[in-house]
C-alpha cells in the first residue's frame, strides 16, 4: 500500500552485546553483511562523508553521514536506488541509537524518517526482519 506522505519507522530491540560490538557490525566497511542480504557498506562513516551500500557492483542505497558518535549514534541520509520505482523518490534519514543497559547489554534502535512511496513501504516491511537478523547474528557470533 503506497504512502502518500512521509513516514517514520522505528525498530528497537534489546541485545546481549555491548555498544562497541553493535557499532562494529553497523559501521564495518568493505565486508559482506550476512544479516543484510550480504550487502557491503563503503565509505569512511565519518560526518560529512558519502557512503554507499550494495552488492555485485550496484549501489542500492547511497547517502551522506550526518553525525557519528561512536559507539552510540550514527545518522545518515538514506537514498534508495534498488530499482527505478524508488530512484526518483526523495531521500530520507536513518538514525542508529545504541544505548548501554549493562556490562554486556544494550538497546539498539533504528529510526527511518522522511521516506515516502515505495521506499517507505519497503522499509516498513524489511526493517524488522533486517535488524532481527542483526540481533541473531550478533548474539550467535558472540557479539560479532
Amino acid at each position: 500500500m503506497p504512502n502518500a506522505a512521509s513516514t517514520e519507522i522505528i525498530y528497537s530491540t534489546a541485545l546481549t552485546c555491548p555498544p562497541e560490538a553493535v557499532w562494529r557490525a553497523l559501521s564495518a566497511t568493505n565486508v559482506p553483511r550476512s544479516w543484510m542480504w550480504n550487502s557491503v557498506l563503503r565509505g569512511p562513516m565519518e560526518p560529512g562523508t558519502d557512503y554507499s551500500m550494495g552488492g555485485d557492483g550496484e549501489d542500492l542505497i547511497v547517502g551522506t553521514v550526518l553525525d557519528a558518535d561512536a559507539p552510540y549514534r550514527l545518522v545518515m541520509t538514506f537514498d534508495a536506488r534498488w530499482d527505478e520505482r524508488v530512484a526518483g523518490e526523495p531521500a530520507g534519514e536513518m538514525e542508529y541509537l545504541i544505548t548501554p543497559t549493562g556490562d554486556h547489554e544494550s538497546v539498539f534502535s533504528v529510526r527511518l524518517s522522511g521516506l515516502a512511496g515505495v521506499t517507505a513501504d519497503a522499509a516498513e516491511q524489511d526493517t524488522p526482519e533486517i535488524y532481527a537478523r542483526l540481533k541473531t547474528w550478533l548474539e550467535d557470533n558472540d557479539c560479532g
Side-chain angles (χ1 to χ4, degrees):
M1 142 179 140
N3 294 308
S6 169
T7 296
E8 181 174 75
I9 299 153
I10 298 172
Y11 176 82
S12 186
T13 188
L15 299 170
T16 55
C17 293
E20 295 80 8
V22 182
W23 179 269
R24 279 192 307 272
L26 295 171
S27 63
T29 58
N30 302 314
V31 294
R33 299 166 158 218
S34 61
W35 49 272
M36 191 182 278
W37 302 295
N38 286 319
S39 62
V40 175
L41 179 64
R42 292 187 174 78
M45 305 313 293
E46 297 171 3
T49 63
D50 292 334
Y51 78 93
S52 66
M53 188 170 15
D56 296 328
E58 286 189 76
D59 290 336
L60 304 176
I61 300 168
V62 298
T64 301
V65 178
L66 302 174
D67 190 27
D69 180 20
Y72 306 110
R73 184 171 183 256
L74 180 61
V75 183
M76 305 174 284
T77 61
F78 182 96
D79 191 357
R81 304 279 176 92
W82 53 77
D83 66 31
E84 67 278 349
R85 296 175 305 152
V86 300
E89 293 181 340
E93 186 175 286
M94 180 167 59
E95 177 182 32
Y96 292 130
L97 292 174
I98 308 160
T99 306
T101 56
D103 289 341
H104 198 70
E105 300 168 338
S106 57
V107 171
F108 164 74
S109 299
V110 59
R111 180 183 60 85
L112 292 133
S113 60
L115 303 177
V118 176
T119 305
D121 292 340
E124 190 169 31
Q125 178 181 328
D126 295 343
T127 295
E129 178 185 347
I130 290 168
Y131 296 105
R133 287 195 313 242
L134 170 64
K135 174 185 172 71
T136 300
W137 181 81
L138 281 165
E139 292 176 349
D140 287 353
N141 290 287
D142 197 25
C143 297

